Amino acid sequence: MRIAIDVMGGDHAPAKILDGAVQALGLLDSGDQLLLVGNREVIESHLHVQGVNHAGKIKIEHASQVITMDDSPVEAIRGKRDSSIVRMVRLGKEGHADALISAGNTGALVAAGVLMLKPLAGVDRPGIAVFLPSTKGGVLLCDAGANIQPKPAHLYQYAVLASMYCSALGRSESPSVGLLNVGTEEEKGTPVVKEARALIEADSSIRFAGYIEGRDIPNHPCDVLITDGFTGNVTLKVAEGFSTALLQSLQRESAAQGAQFAATLKPMIARVLKQYDHEEVGGALLLGVQGIFLKVHGSAGSRAIKNAVAAAKSLGKLSINSAIERRLAATNKTIQ
Amino acid sequence: MRIAIDVMGGDHAPAKILDGAVQALGLLDSGDQLLLVGNREVIESHLHVQGVNHAGKIKIEHASQVITMDDSPVEAIRGKRDSSIVRMVRLGKEGHADALISAGNTGALVAAGVLMLKPLAGVDRPGIAVFLPSTKGGVLLCDAGANIQPKPAHLYQYAVLASMYCSALGRSESPSVGLLNVGTEEEKGTPVVKEARALIEADSSIRFAGYIEGRDIPNHPCDVLITDGFTGNVTLKVAEGFSTALLQSLQRESAAQGAQFAATLKPMIARVLKQYDHEEVGGALLLGVQGIFLKVHGSAGSRAIKNAVAAAKSLGKLSINSAIERRLAATNKTIQ
């Protein structure tokens, strides 16, 4: 398995990303290889200082540019052709890498994935899956913004993709799948939502949990939550925005209770905030494209990178993409 | 002005609602009347015990049924024809009341409004407006769920309706109007969102604030936020659900810091939660129907009811609905 790692993306790049890659060397089987994408000189000097003897386990793919967190995603992908993100995704596109890992600009990664990678057979449009915080370790939301005007068949495909990924990640053997809606009653929703429900319910291999309302997400009403990319993107950002604002206003209030109280509250707030920050609960997965595409959170340290390599290895062993293609080949025929 | 009040709706009904109505008698001008809708015997006995001499200022409209918070909205409206909500809305429909006030089941009120009341001239579909918490006293979100698949012209009409209401409520003389989207760049969004933007931008009397992302709402990026009823409803419920869940998990964490710390934190959390509970920041307004339709929060006490009567009086004086009809008559012609 060839796993490409964007060495230049994330708050602690390149040092912590490279440290993580070095730690991950122990996870590789014979024949596996890490492809480190970024500035060759920086990578070589870091590996040299650390005295790493990688003996063919590491290959360096030079990229002269970096897409920053402030870059506009689509412009950056088009303008920075020699950036580590574009170079990494091209390795996937051209069949030189089986898995892609980056802690860089989420929007740019998704744009590169959607614009540059080929979808799997049977998948009409790739989707973004992210974990929303919940009482049982996170609800996998799909789509979080790749496809803002999906057809019912796309939503059905997301249900298949996300539930197979959810199993593969070891979250649940038989994940329950909900459909985000304005109410739980059967008559609620747009025609697209209702048709998607019919397609999902007709597939007996999906454990359908019914319509789910936004206020119930934190109580883990289902393992996988399907919605269109417009609503999914807004959901993600509203959850993030209100969680942050609310804890900030609590922190301000705490000042009135004296310095000691505020000092005790501060790390508590940081812990809760971390739990409610979607970047912390697994980052984003780009589903429905060739290969395995993992977005690690921007504040990723070496351990997160090592874990992402481990996840890529597990997902690779499961041949999840070919399983998805077989399953969609069977069902898409009947729904189109 | 004839103001109908649903006496049976809300957590503290009927006592606190009736107390509020009695307190509001002092706000009435000559010729004004409060129409109290609910169980006649209960209302008469309450007024009698309080020794209220209402001298023609109060009229009782008997209703034998009550729609509870657990009733399914549409079923309740159809099934409980003699409920205080259906009776109250019928007073509006038949021209016997100029304003409607209730603290009852929000879904049932909205369903009654949309199904029973006539829209204003120039308004294709009524919309629900609610205040989302923000640093500057709340962003008025419209539509929060009345119209889940709007056309661009509907969104434009909501921009006119909500900004005129926002001014009338004294929030801002010239409210800024944003459009909820998955990004702030002009190329983002569905065709419906883009066409709505063009219509809003073409109306020079609207102060357009551009596209707004969900995570910025708590920072008050605009006074009025326009979106389709599907996304608006999900936004409202996600904000509510995550705010509540987050503060609950903070409360649980606080237990480990000892009883005194937890006891100090508890009222702080209650204060912040109140500020982030949409029910507390003004409740819902049903925009675009004849008359004035105010939904007071379910936990409303007498003061909230008195304030709602004051708001109804101010809105009535401004003749906001006829101003809206004049303005839409001028612009709708050019956009259709």
Side-chain angles (χ1 to χ4, degrees):
Chain A
M1 197 172 181
R2 297 152 308 165
I3 301 170
I5 302 175
D6 164 19
V7 166
M8 313 307 282
D11 304 341
H12 307 304
K16 295 284 177 193
I17 310 294
L18 284 166
D19 288 347
V22 171
Q23 289 166 27
L25 287 172
L27 301 170
L28 301 186
D29 295 310
S30 96
D32 288 348
Q33 203 173 35
L34 296 185
L35 313 173
L36 305 185
V37 190
N39 185 298
R40 178 182 300 276
E41 227 171 291
V42 169
I43 298 171
E44 279 178 346
S45 117
H46 189 96
L47 295 177
H48 180 75
V49 168
Q50 306 248 317
V52 177
N53 176 9
H54 46 77
K57 290 272 185 205
I58 286 178
K59 203 176 148 188
I60 298 172
E61 178 78 15
H62 180 65
S64 66
Q65 294 174 302
V66 177
I67 293 178
T68 68
M69 292 298 184
D70 301 324
D71 278 331
S72 160
V74 176
E75 277 171 44
I77 294 308
R78 291 189 179 138
K80 294 186 170 175
R81 311 297 298 179
D82 199 36
S83 61
S84 55
I85 288 180
V86 172
R87 283 267 164 215
M88 175 189 74
V89 176
R90 196 173 297 155
L91 289 175
K93 179 191 168 92
E94 292 170 355
H96 302 307
D98 308 300
L100 312 176
I101 296 171
S102 174
N105 182 321
T106 307
L109 286 163
V110 167
V114 171
L115 297 173
M116 296 171 62
L117 294 178
K118 233 175 108 159
L120 297 178
V123 174
D124 292 314
R125 297 280 303 268
I128 303 165
V130 296
F131 282 99
L132 282 171
S134 77
T135 49
K136 288 187 191 160
V139 170
L140 190 62
L141 176 85
C142 183
D143 169 41
N147 183 4
I148 59 173
Q149 221 175 7
K151 296 185 175 158
H154 302 168
L155 294 177
Y156 164 71
Q157 288 163 12
Y158 294 148
V160 173
L161 286 163
S163 57
M164 289 180 81
Y165 262 89
C166 192
S167 304
L169 290 167
R171 294 275 178 150
S172 164
E173 248 181 75
S174 162
S176 58
V177 178
L179 201 50
L180 188 60
N181 202 350
V182 296
T184 55
E185 303 86 359
E186 209 160 328
E187 75 269 19
K188 289 284 171 75
T190 60
V192 169
V193 169
K194 288 178 187 175
E195 285 169 45
R197 180 188 178 121
L199 294 175
I200 293 171
E201 280 191 314
D203 184 337
S204 60
S205 63
I206 296 176
R207 190 151 66 86
F208 185 56
Y211 290 144
I212 302 295
E213 288 192 271
R215 71 160 65 87
D216 295 323
I217 298 171
N219 305 323
H220 201 89
C222 52
D223 299 311
V224 167
L225 183 59
I226 301 303
T227 190
D228 66 271
F230 192 93
T231 310
N233 190 271
V234 169
T235 294
L236 187 68
K237 289 172 180 170
V238 166
E240 193 190 322
F242 278 86
S243 304
T244 310
L246 200 131
L247 288 179
Q248 281 167 351
S249 72
L250 203 64
Q251 189 124 33
R252 276 192 302 273
E253 285 240 349
S254 77
Q257 303 292 334
Q260 209 201 321
F261 184 88
T264 313
L265 188 62
K266 202 174 171 174
M268 274 175 59
I269 288 184
R271 270 199 304 281
V272 172
L273 199 54
K274 204 164 173 174
Q275 177 189 345
Y276 278 84
D277 174 1
H278 76 274
E279 293 273 353
E280 291 288 336
V281 254
L285 292 162
L286 189 67
L287 305 186
V289 292
Q290 302 292 344
I292 291 154
F293 197 137
L294 297 165
K295 161 67 179 79
V296 185
H297 50 85
S299 60
S302 56
R303 205 169 59 89
I305 297 297
K306 186 185 166 191
N307 288 341
V309 172
K313 287 281 297 171
S314 319
L315 291 169
K317 278 198 191 94
L318 293 163
S319 311
I320 184 166
N321 284 339
S322 49
I324 287 169
E325 288 185 326
R326 279 194 305 277
R327 183 145 151 210
L328 287 176
T331 46
N332 271 341
K333 228 179 292 176
T334 65
I335 69 172
Q336 271 163 0
Chain B
M1 198 172 180
R2 298 152 306 167
I3 301 169
I5 301 174
D6 164 19
V7 165
M8 312 307 283
D11 303 342
H12 307 303
K16 294 285 176 193
I17 310 292
L18 284 167
D19 289 346
V22 171
Q23 288 165 27
L25 287 173
L27 301 171
L28 301 186
D29 296 309
S30 96
D32 287 350
Q33 204 173 35
L34 296 185
L35 313 173
L36 304 185
V37 191
N39 185 298
R40 178 183 299 278
E41 227 171 291
V42 170
I43 299 171
E44 279 178 345
S45 116
H46 189 94
L47 294 177
H48 181 74
V49 168
Q50 305 249 319
V52 178
N53 176 9
H54 46 78
K57 290 273 184 201
I58 287 179
K59 204 176 146 188
I60 298 171
E61 178 79 15
H62 180 66
S64 66
Q65 294 174 300
V66 176
I67 293 177
T68 67
M69 292 298 185
D70 301 323
D71 278 331
S72 159
V74 176
E75 277 171 43
I77 294 307
R78 292 190 179 138
K80 294 186 170 175
R81 311 297 300 179
D82 200 36
S83 61
S84 55
I85 287 179
V86 171
R87 283 268 165 216
M88 176 188 74
V89 175
R90 195 173 297 155
L91 290 176
K93 178 191 167 94
E94 291 170 356
H96 302 308
D98 308 301
L100 311 176
I101 295 171
S102 175
N105 182 320
T106 307
L109 286 163
V110 167
V114 172
L115 297 172
M116 296 172 63
L117 294 178
K118 233 174 106 157
L120 296 179
V123 173
D124 292 314
R125 297 280 302 269
I128 302 164
V130 296
F131 282 99
L132 282 171
S134 77
T135 49
K136 289 187 190 161
V139 169
L140 190 61
L141 176 85
C142 184
D143 170 40
N147 183 4
I148 59 172
Q149 221 175 7
K151 296 184 176 159
H154 301 168
L155 294 177
Y156 164 72
Q157 290 163 11
Y158 294 148
V160 173
L161 287 162
S163 57
M164 289 180 82
Y165 262 89
C166 192
S167 304
L169 291 168
R171 293 275 177 151
S172 164
E173 251 182 71
S174 164
S176 59
V177 178
L179 200 51
L180 188 60
N181 202 349
V182 296
T184 56
E185 304 86 358
E186 209 160 327
E187 75 269 19
K188 290 284 171 76
T190 61
V192 169
V193 169
K194 288 178 187 175
E195 285 170 43
R197 180 189 178 122
L199 295 175
I200 293 171
E201 280 192 312
D203 185 336
S204 60
S205 63
I206 296 176
R207 190 151 68 84
F208 185 56
Y211 290 145
I212 302 295
E213 288 191 272
R215 71 160 64 87
D216 294 323
I217 299 172
N219 305 323
H220 201 90
C222 53
D223 299 310
V224 167
L225 184 59
I226 301 302
T227 190
D228 66 272
F230 192 93
T231 311
N233 190 271
V234 169
T235 294
L236 186 68
K237 288 171 180 170
V238 167
E240 193 190 322
F242 278 86
S243 305
T244 309
L246 200 130
L247 289 178
Q248 280 167 352
S249 72
L250 204 63
Q251 189 124 34
R252 275 192 303 273
E253 285 240 349
S254 77
Q257 303 292 335
Q260 209 202 322
F261 184 89
T264 313
L265 188 63
K266 200 173 174 177
M268 275 175 58
I269 287 183
R271 271 200 303 282
V272 172
L273 198 55
K274 204 165 174 175
Q275 177 189 344
Y276 278 83
D277 175 1
H278 77 275
E279 293 274 353
E280 290 288 335
V281 255
L285 291 161
L286 189 67
L287 304 187
V289 292
Q290 303 291 345
I292 290 153
F293 198 138
L294 297 165
K295 161 67 179 79
V296 185
H297 50 84
S299 59
S302 56
R303 206 168 59 89
I305 297 297
K306 187 184 165 192
N307 288 341
V309 172
K313 287 282 297 170
S314 319
L315 290 170
K317 277 197 192 97
L318 293 163
S319 310
I320 184 165
N321 284 340
S322 47
I324 287 169
E325 288 185 326
R326 279 194 305 278
R327 182 144 152 211
L328 287 176
T331 46
N332 270 342
K333 229 179 291 174
T334 65
I335 67 172
Q336 270 164 359

